[in-house]
Amino acid sequence: MTITVKDVAKKAGVATSTVSRVINDHPSISDATKKKVFKVMEEMGYVPNIAARNLGKRSSGAVGVILPPLDSRERMGNPFYLEIIESINAEARKHDMTTAIATAQSFDTLLENVQLMHRQKQVDGFILLYSDKDDPVIDYLVENHVPFSLIGQPYTNEEKVIYVDNDNQLLGKHATDFLIENGHKNILFITNTTHENIYYERYFGYQKAMMVAGLTMFPSVDMESPEAYVAFEDLLKETKATAAVVIDDIFAMRMIQLAQMYGYRVPDDFSVISFNNSIYSTLVHPYLTSIDIDIAELGKMGMQKLIDTLQQKEPTGVRLVIPHQLIKRETVLDLNGI
């Protein structure tokens, strides 16, 4: 038998409207009454209708999590998104909220999905898990004054966007410095994306470290085309590279396989350092030296900043920087003294 608000009100000896106000935590209800009603609800096994409660508040009780276009196998299989979504979900549950995922294979379709979620009031706000220079979604959110937070650094509207990020330029410098400290001089920066902000920031960090050390800076190695894979062996010979900073763990694993295919042993002939410290870093030997960006904290703080925005506690243009940590494993050879 379904327990109703009327049943709870009758047993508690209060009006039905009082039970509704207790459920919605209305300030006009005393703590003693709230305690009594909640006790009756627990005894009777009554569970409030969250959808109805949110309707009364003119709130969906949900947030939209926007993934970048899943237009490659690396992106579809990247554990970063699963880890950060779980962190966002955990924080959302603390606020009695749920999450809805927005994803697509192109920016046009992704924008349509986000517009639909917004117009149908399926969510109260959004968390973007990427920052891309060609992204129309963030422009739509800013122009329509939709509450959102960003995991990453925006290309534009920095003064209007609340974002949570690592210091990716410092990450790039830290990774490169580590290779330099281990005696490497000919160091490459390898990427499979050239339009996301993490690429620019991490590559700038690489350039800064190389410049400060007085070493030759190489153009970033763009591996977005099949031809780049064919030319990789010649590139290693021409540059005499002994090490590389790679844009993220999952792509670093592919580059290790490619180097090994051309006869380069990792780390004996070619050292590799990457970012994220994901599950891929310890799947196979050699274990990957990687910089831990604290994905759980990124998701948690991204959700908290969105909650603050929804509750009008957060001013616009706020940046929160999450610390990082270098995890030493097996893919960087110390050349000092060799």
Side-chain angles (χ1 to χ4, degrees):
M1 181 178 175
T2 303
I3 306 299
T4 67
V5 172
K6 289 183 179 179
D7 297 327
V8 174
K10 183 178 180 180
K11 185 169 182 179
V14 298
T16 303
S17 59
T18 299
V19 176
S20 297
R21 290 190 179 98
V22 169
I23 292 171
N24 288 292
D25 196 24
H26 198 281
S28 66
I29 305 299
S30 69
D31 290 340
T33 301
K34 288 179 182 178
K35 186 176 180 180
K36 179 173 69 171
V37 172
F38 279 127
K39 183 179 180 182
V40 171
M41 288 168 56
E42 185 177 356
E43 290 173 352
M44 299 183 72
Y46 174 75
V47 179
N49 187 322
I50 299 299
R53 185 180 69 180
N54 289 335
L55 183 61
K57 292 182 176 180
R58 296 185 179 180
S59 165
S60 70
V63 298
V65 180
I66 309 174
L67 276 67
L70 301 179
D71 52 7
S72 68
R73 296 186 68 179
E74 281 86 5
R75 183 168 274 174
M76 291 181 68
N78 196 327
F80 169 84
Y81 299 115
L82 186 59
E83 289 181 45
I84 200 166
I85 287 171
E86 172 53 32
S87 177
I88 291 170
N89 276 333
E91 190 63 25
R93 286 194 294 270
K94 295 178 183 178
H95 299 274
D96 293 325
M97 300 189 78
T98 59
T99 56
I101 306 298
T103 186
Q105 290 190 334
S106 70
F107 275 122
D108 289 340
T109 306
L110 184 61
L111 177 59
E112 291 174 4
N113 292 343
V114 170
Q115 289 172 331
L116 186 64
M117 293 171 74
H118 172 227
R119 289 168 182 166
Q120 292 185 348
K121 303 187 185 303
Q122 297 177 24
V123 297
D124 298 323
F126 293 92
I127 302 176
L128 279 84
L129 301 188
Y130 66 93
S131 179
D132 193 296
K133 68 178 181 178
D134 299 320
D135 178 28
V137 174
I138 196 168
D139 292 335
Y140 172 82
L141 297 177
V142 171
E143 290 167 6
N144 289 274
H145 307 288
V146 181
F148 76 96
S149 63
L150 169 68
I151 307 296
Q153 182 175 336
Y155 279 88
T156 58
N157 297 300
E158 290 95 336
E159 74 285 357
K160 299 178 182 178
V161 177
I162 296 170
Y163 60 105
V164 179
D165 199 9
N166 305 106
D167 187 335
N168 279 295
Q169 190 170 142
L170 183 59
L171 261 68
K173 183 178 183 300
H174 194 176
T176 311
D177 283 341
F178 183 70
L179 294 175
I180 294 170
E181 291 164 6
N182 279 273
H184 297 274
K185 294 180 172 58
N186 295 335
I187 303 169
L188 302 176
F189 185 93
I190 305 176
T191 182
N192 64 340
T193 177
T194 55
H195 50 85
E196 293 185 54
N197 222 329
I198 59 167
Y199 157 68
Y200 291 104
E201 292 296 316
R202 291 175 183 176
Y203 182 52
F204 288 158
Y206 157 85
Q207 290 177 309
K208 184 176 181 179
M210 296 295 280
M211 181 171 59
V212 169
L215 300 175
T216 301
M217 292 180 291
F218 295 99
S220 64
V221 181
D222 177 6
M223 301 296 292
E224 293 181 287
S225 69
E227 293 77 15
Y229 287 82
V230 177
F232 189 67
E233 181 181 18
D234 291 336
L235 176 68
L236 292 179
K237 291 178 180 178
E238 290 168 10
T239 60
K240 298 180 180 179
T242 62
V245 178
V246 184
I247 193 69
D248 66 29
D249 288 347
I250 188 170
F251 194 64
M253 298 301 294
R254 175 165 287 196
M255 296 314 302
I256 289 173
Q257 291 176 339
L258 184 64
Q260 290 173 338
M261 186 182 77
Y262 286 124
Y264 290 79
R265 296 169 299 167
V266 176
D268 303 68
D269 306 315
F270 190 63
S271 292
V272 173
I273 187 171
S274 185
F275 309 91
N276 290 7
N277 190 33
S278 69
I279 188 174
Y280 287 98
S281 60
T282 55
L283 278 183
V284 295
H285 284 288
Y287 288 167
L288 185 61
T289 295
S290 181
I291 293 184
D292 191 322
I293 61 174
D294 202 344
I295 295 173
E297 191 67 11
L298 283 168
K300 175 183 175 181
M301 297 310 301
M303 183 66 200
Q304 286 188 6
K305 290 301 175 185
L306 177 58
I307 293 292
D308 288 345
T309 302
L310 294 172
Q311 296 177 351
Q312 299 182 334
K313 295 180 181 178
E314 195 71 79
T316 57
V318 173
R319 182 191 184 193
L320 181 66
V321 179
I322 304 300
H324 64 273
Q325 180 182 6
L326 193 150
I327 309 298
K328 300 177 185 179
R329 293 196 179 95
E330 302 172 346
T331 56
V332 174
L333 182 67
D334 188 352
L335 297 180
N336 294 311
I338 295 180

